[in-house]
Amino acid sequence: MIDALTGVLRLRPGEARPRSVENRRPDLAEALVRGKAAEDVPGLLGSLFSLCGHAHRLCAQMALNAAAGEGASRKPEAERSLQHETLCEHVRRIGLDWPVALALPASRDVIAASALKTLRACPALRGAGAPLSDTQRWLERQLLGMPAQDWLDRWNRQPGWWAEWSATGSGWLQRLVREVRPAADWPVAAAEPLHAHAGTVSLRQLARSLSEDAGFTRRPRWQDDCAETGTWTRLNDAARPLPATPWQRLGTRLAELARLTLPDAPGHGSAWLSFGAQPIAAGEGLAWVEMARGLLVHHARLDGVVAGYRVLAPTEWNFHAEGPVARALEGLPAAPSQEGQHRIAALMAAYDPCVRFEVESQPMKQESVHA
């Protein structure tokens, strides 16, 4: 029953695209909100997409405002809220998902217990009222083992910093990063970074695709090609080359967590994440939010009530049947060994789908559950 509502990804290592990834996520947004009053939509979509509910509520409100002809403005309270919620999502994924998915069996229970203890002490998870400086100190003491600014400076300037940091520390996270490196540090063919929100022209092109093609939200393409999105494709980091491996993509999540705990300044703080809205035509608006998993887009049409609504989430880009994960799975064995299963788990943790996935292999099937 849950799978029918949320969907499931079916992974088939060793099979050629488009068979290597099958996305069975239903497109429920328009059916849920069509005919509804605009003021009801942000709450409905925040509940439907509960795993990233805050980003969906923000994106929905901006899209509807743009469709109503209201000018877009970047409000400080929205910046702070998005910063806090994205920070918390990174903490949860690192502390809950990573130990289960990435640790070796012999150390999994120990690492998971240490990670849970660390999460319980995180000030940000107690609510948005906690001072950001408290979360920065928690991050420095519990995860980084050094000042966050120093860690981030070395990440930005030293290509080998992720390897150096993980090799020299004794904390549970450094141990986990070391353990998963053999399974995660292998080259994958990157798709184009998704920067459709870089300018007005590209936003209008995206709105046209969403408006004219009912299937675009399930099989999106950008400039006639697949694209990928994540913490490594931020507009404010567009000059950085894409990571070469899943292991390096995992590192970008911790780097962004460090950025979000630091005071506001170029390169970190509340202005790091891009979000905004664009009126497209009378009664039509588009909005975008850089959320924890990548770029989220909402497209709304109003005619007194909601006449049309499309949601395009990061999962549909990264797990496109011709996309980066599908391409990576093509080159893996059809019946993966334990080591191969660890590779797939690392790949999925790096690209981070928002739904459960199953690995189908011959002659047996293996199942994984996203926390």
Side-chain angles (χ1 to χ4, degrees):
M1 180 62 177
I2 294 297
D3 283 351
L5 292 174
T6 64
V8 63
L9 294 174
R10 300 201 183 280
L11 313 180
R12 302 183 183 98
E15 293 205 23
R17 291 168 291 159
R19 286 272 303 160
S20 56
V21 171
E22 181 183 357
N23 186 349
R24 296 190 178 184
R25 206 153 81 103
D27 193 356
L28 299 176
E30 184 157 38
L32 179 67
V33 304
R34 182 188 284 272
K36 296 286 196 302
E39 59 266 25
D40 295 335
V41 171
L44 285 170
L45 294 180
S47 298
L48 177 64
F49 301 103
S50 57
L51 198 60
C52 306
H54 174 268
H56 281 278
R57 283 190 293 271
L58 173 61
C59 206
Q61 191 62 66
M62 292 192 300
L64 291 161
N65 288 347
E70 298 181 21
S73 60
R74 189 177 174 108
K75 298 179 180 179
E77 59 269 26
E79 287 185 345
R80 293 293 181 194
S81 183
L82 181 61
Q83 175 188 17
H84 172 78
E85 293 297 330
T86 306
L87 184 159
C88 289
E89 182 67 7
H90 288 329
V91 169
R92 287 189 287 264
R93 299 288 70 77
I94 290 170
L96 294 176
D97 286 4
W98 284 15
V100 175
L102 305 181
L104 295 174
S107 59
R108 186 172 296 144
D109 289 347
V110 171
I111 288 177
S114 297
L116 187 58
K117 182 178 179 181
T118 299
L119 255 65
R120 286 172 174 160
C122 179
L125 296 181
R126 298 172 191 160
L132 187 63
S133 58
D134 289 353
T135 300
Q136 180 185 335
R137 284 191 292 272
W138 167 86
L139 176 68
E140 293 171 343
R141 294 170 182 169
Q142 299 290 334
L143 296 184
L144 300 181
M146 62 188 298
Q149 185 65 69
D150 292 349
W151 194 99
L152 189 59
D153 287 344
R154 298 185 74 172
W155 167 269
N156 287 332
R157 297 170 185 168
Q158 297 176 213
W161 173 240
W162 185 228
E164 180 183 338
W165 172 78
S166 61
T168 56
S170 58
W172 68 264
L173 182 56
Q174 287 152 305
R175 179 182 179 183
L176 177 60
V177 173
R178 284 196 301 271
E179 284 192 3
V180 77
R181 185 175 184 181
D185 201 16
W186 50 285
V188 295
E192 285 297 311
L194 182 62
H195 290 153
H197 54 316
T200 300
V201 173
S202 55
L203 286 167
R204 288 185 175 278
Q205 291 173 343
L206 184 59
R208 187 178 306 114
S209 296
L210 285 163
S211 181
E212 295 176 355
D213 182 359
F216 189 79
T217 59
R218 301 301 91 183
R219 297 284 294 270
R221 295 179 72 83
W222 182 241
Q223 297 176 340
D224 294 325
D225 207 349
C226 293
E228 65 178 80
T229 185
T231 50
W232 57 91
T233 64
R234 303 307 197 196
L235 275 187
N236 281 321
D237 207 23
R240 181 185 295 271
L242 289 184
T245 72
W247 189 68
Q248 292 169 0
R249 282 170 173 79
L250 291 170
T252 67
R253 187 183 285 274
L254 185 59
E256 182 159 287
L257 177 56
R259 292 184 195 279
L260 295 176
T261 63
L262 290 170
D264 293 350
H268 46 74
S270 64
W272 173 250
L273 298 169
S274 175
F275 66 95
Q278 174 78 43
I280 302 300
E284 182 182 0
L286 186 81
W288 67 94
V289 173
E290 288 184 343
M291 55 187 285
R293 289 175 171 83
L295 183 67
L296 173 67
V297 175
H298 282 216
H299 176 262
R301 290 187 296 108
L302 297 178
D303 185 8
V305 294
V306 176
Y309 208 96
R310 302 277 165 79
V311 172
L312 181 52
T315 294
E316 273 58 58
W317 293 100
N318 292 336
F319 298 91
H320 190 291
E322 299 284 351
V325 172
R327 183 185 294 271
L329 287 169
E330 273 186 329
L332 298 182
S337 62
Q338 185 173 357
E339 179 183 350
Q341 293 170 29
H342 200 195
R343 267 195 176 199
I344 294 172
L347 178 70
M348 298 302 285
Y351 282 93
D352 193 22
C354 58
V355 295
R356 190 173 70 86
F357 67 88
E358 293 178 354
V359 181
E360 297 183 358
S361 59
Q362 297 297 330
M364 59 184 295
K365 293 185 178 182
Q366 302 289 336
E367 181 174 311
S368 295
V369 177
H370 188 279

